[in-house]
Structure formats: structure tokens, C-alpha cells
Amino acid sequence: MGRQEEGLGFLLADVSRLMRRAFQQRLNGSSLTLAQARALVYVSRHEGVRQVEIAEFLEVQPITLARLIDQLADAGFVERRPDPSDRRAYQIYLTPDASPQLAAIKKVAAAIRADALRGLGKQEAASLLSALTKMQNNLAPRQ
């Protein structure tokens, strides 16, 4: 079966799977798992985010996310603070110790991006990223 016959969804899922695998392999030797790295990056982009929002983004159950945040907090990379608008909830913030981890994640991500885009010209890569962004916006829930 050729790539065109596989369909867009299968191709995107396969590329995503391969990128996650490459990321995990390159993180080998790090104290972080792929799930922890994803959570850490999400918190860095949305500091003060509530745990439930991270769980939704990572597509994991809240209890799974709570254990993940426990691990990151135990490692000294994040801290929980009470949510002033909901005393049952916590907001997640980075600690200064997260900076070297985020730098390592960024370096690995850049190497994988370079591998994934190898053989594409600058215009092709820009067009691909633009098209994927439009697709993401088309499919994202309307707020």
C-alpha cells in the first residue's frame, strides 16, 4: 500500500510516533521520561496551569498526571501552589532547577526537527508547518 492510500491521519500518526520514539531514544540517559518532558514543556509554556489542564493536554487521567507531577516535584523541577480561585485545585510552576532540563529538551527537539525536515527546502518546510498549523486550528475546539 502506497503512502497516498494510507491516508492523512495514518501518515500524521506514524510521523508523530516516529518523532516520539526518536525523542525518547535521544533522551536516554536523562532522568526524564517522555511524559515528564512533555509535561515540563507544557508548564513552561503555560506557567500557573492547573493540573487538570495538563492532564487534558497530555491525554492522561488526572490520577496519572498527579503521579507525573509528584515525580517532577520530587526531582525539584516544578512546584504546586494552591489555586486562589479553587481551594481544591493546584497550579503548577517551574522551579529554577527546571531550566537545564528544558534546555536539554529543546536541544533534542531541534535535532529531531532537523532530521524530520532533512531534504526539504526552507520554503517546503515553512509550507508544511503552515499547513499543519492551519489543520490544527481547523480541528481545535472553538472557544
Side-chain angles (χ1 to χ4, degrees):
M1 180 183 301
R3 284 283 184 199
Q4 284 195 331
E5 295 169 3
E6 287 182 13
L8 178 63
F10 285 106
L11 184 57
L12 288 172
D14 196 39
V15 169
S16 179
R17 177 186 60 80
L18 291 168
M19 289 181 79
R20 282 191 313 271
R21 179 189 295 164
F23 190 86
Q24 184 66 54
Q25 288 171 343
R26 290 185 188 200
L27 265 185
N28 196 10
S30 169
S31 62
L32 293 176
T33 66
L34 176 60
Q36 291 169 337
R38 290 183 69 213
L40 203 56
V41 168
Y42 189 78
V43 172
S44 76
R45 293 178 181 167
H46 306 279
E47 207 144 357
V49 67
R50 292 175 56 197
Q51 286 186 196
V52 67
E53 295 172 50
I54 302 170
E56 289 173 11
F57 173 77
L58 296 178
E59 297 182 325
V60 298
Q61 294 298 315
I63 189 68
T64 301
L65 189 273
R67 285 190 294 267
L68 193 64
I69 297 299
D70 286 344
Q71 294 164 353
L72 290 171
D74 289 346
F77 302 142
V78 299
E79 65 182 14
R80 288 181 174 98
R81 297 181 194 165
D83 184 337
S85 64
D86 182 351
R87 64 185 177 144
R88 299 166 298 165
Y90 289 97
Q91 295 174 303
I92 309 302
Y93 290 86
L94 296 177
T95 67
D97 289 345
S99 293
Q101 299 297 323
L102 288 165
I105 291 166
K106 187 175 182 178
K107 184 177 178 182
V108 168
I112 291 168
R113 185 173 39 256
D115 286 349
L117 296 175
R118 186 178 33 238
L120 295 179
K122 286 186 180 188
Q123 185 57 45
E124 284 177 300
S127 293
L128 173 63
L129 295 175
S130 175
L132 289 172
T133 300
K134 286 177 186 173
M135 291 170 61
Q136 180 185 39
N137 291 336
N138 290 342
L139 296 172
R142 304 277 186 240
Q143 296 191 21

